[in-house]
Amino acid sequence: MKQRLFILSQYLLPHHLLSRLIGCIAECRIGWLKNPLISWFAKQYQVNMSEAQVEDLRAYEHFNAFFTRALKDGARPLDETLGAILSPADGAISQLGAIEHGRIFQAKGHSFSAVELLGGDAERAAPFMGGQFATVYLSPKDYHRVHMPLGGTLKEMVYVPGRLFSVNQTTAENVPELFARNERVVCLFDTERGPMAVVLVGAMIVASVETVWAGLVTPPKRELKSTRYDAQARGPIELAKGAEMGRFKLGSTAIVLFGPNQVQWAQELGAGSAVRMGQLMGTAQD
């Protein structure tokens, strides 16, 4: 019954209004509000501050600065295996595997359309058909910056408007097409293994998503918007393997896509496997 009520509430709550209100609180600089909030959160979720560049909780100007905190040099060493595909973030594998018949497995009998995930453009999604996907869920205690699984040249960024359902195991098992319904930012790269997509999926109370090249992704209207970064547009942006590419202000999920016959996921990883940014998630396929 509790689960049913929770799922029902997901459809009834004013997602964007609630997220904007939480976003205002998360940007508050008033000490008597932000300091207890940060301290409570760090204790509640057992956040490991010993690896943060700034360990003093009171030193953060607001909650979002704490939430998107930088780590000390060397806190996330990059796996040096030849052909390594790196985990883009701290978190847990929600699912990973093959993109079959244009569908990406979600959980417990649910899947979603790769075309819809990438903004509804079949041509944009075509290179990934028959390829591989990995979905990484970032929990509240995790480091919330997203990094490059493989070095690449940015070709396009697509803002896709949508709902802001909570993202967790319960919603994954009960909300159809969850990741293709939530608001998201699709980042498309050319890599040595062909096209790669890194999709930053929003969720309930996720105040915003940022990228290192565009800053805060906040289109003036909640409508699909594509921005090209090729030589004819803004000029290509190159990011090295392991480089930061974006961050969540109140976290969610990162989905990585590759084309067919390009990568092979590590056999020891599966649904529920804990991962850290920079660890081996897969290797280039021969």
Side-chain angles (χ1 to χ4, degrees), residues 49-183:
M49 293 303 295
S50 66
E51 61 185 14
Q53 280 187 6
V54 178
E55 296 185 35
D56 181 5
L57 294 173
R58 299 175 66 89
Y60 291 94
E61 60 179 340
H62 45 60
F63 181 85
N64 269 337
F66 154 74
F67 196 81
T68 59
R69 61 195 174 277
L71 301 183
K72 293 174 181 174
D73 291 343
R76 295 292 182 274
L78 306 182
D79 190 282
E80 297 182 353
T81 302
L82 184 65
I85 309 298
L86 306 181
S87 172
D90 285 11
I93 298 293
S94 177
Q95 299 291 339
L96 81 174
I99 302 170
E100 298 179 337
H101 309 293
R103 309 286 297 180
I104 297 172
F105 182 61
Q106 181 172 296
K108 200 177 179 180
H110 289 294
S111 64
F112 55 95
S113 162
V115 172
E116 291 305 314
L117 176 71
L118 299 180
D121 187 326
E123 185 176 348
R124 183 183 296 129
F128 302 103
M129 295 302 166
Q132 296 288 321
F133 79 94
T135 303
V136 180
Y137 166 70
L138 290 72
S139 75
K141 68 179 177 61
D142 290 321
Y143 168 63
H144 275 82
R145 300 190 183 191
V146 180
H147 293 245
M148 294 287 286
L150 191 64
T153 302
L154 178 67
K155 305 305 289 186
E156 185 181 15
M157 180 179 75
V158 186
Y159 165 78
V160 186
R163 299 295 300 275
L164 288 174
F165 290 101
S166 293
V167 174
N168 51 46
Q169 189 63 29
T170 299
T171 52
E173 292 178 355
N174 291 278
V175 178
E177 304 257 352
L178 174 65
F179 299 112
R181 296 174 74 170
N182 271 11
E183 183 176 75

Side-chain angles (χ1 to χ4, degrees), residues 6 10 13-27 37 40-41 45 63-64 67-68 137-140 144 162-168 182-183 201-209 248-252:
F6 173 73
Q10 292 293 301
L13 286 171
H15 293 181
H16 289 275
L17 175 60
L18 180 60
S19 297
R20 284 196 296 271
L21 291 174
I22 297 298
C24 289
I25 295 173
E27 293 284 340
L37 176 60
W40 171 84
F41 188 96
Y45 293 104
F63 181 85
N64 269 337
F67 196 81
T68 59
Y137 166 70
L138 290 72
S139 75
H144 275 82
R163 299 295 300 275
L164 288 174
F165 290 101
S166 293
V167 174
N168 51 46
N182 271 11
E183 183 176 75
V201 184
M204 187 82 77
I205 77 168
V206 175
S208 57
V209 173
F248 290 108
K249 292 186 173 180
L250 300 175
S252 183

Side-chain angles (χ1 to χ4, degrees), residues 153-156 190 227-237:
T153 302
L154 178 67
K155 305 305 289 186
E156 185 181 15
D190 281 343
T227 305
R228 298 289 302 180
Y229 288 88
D230 53 26
Q232 288 73 39
R234 287 166 163 71
I237 294 172

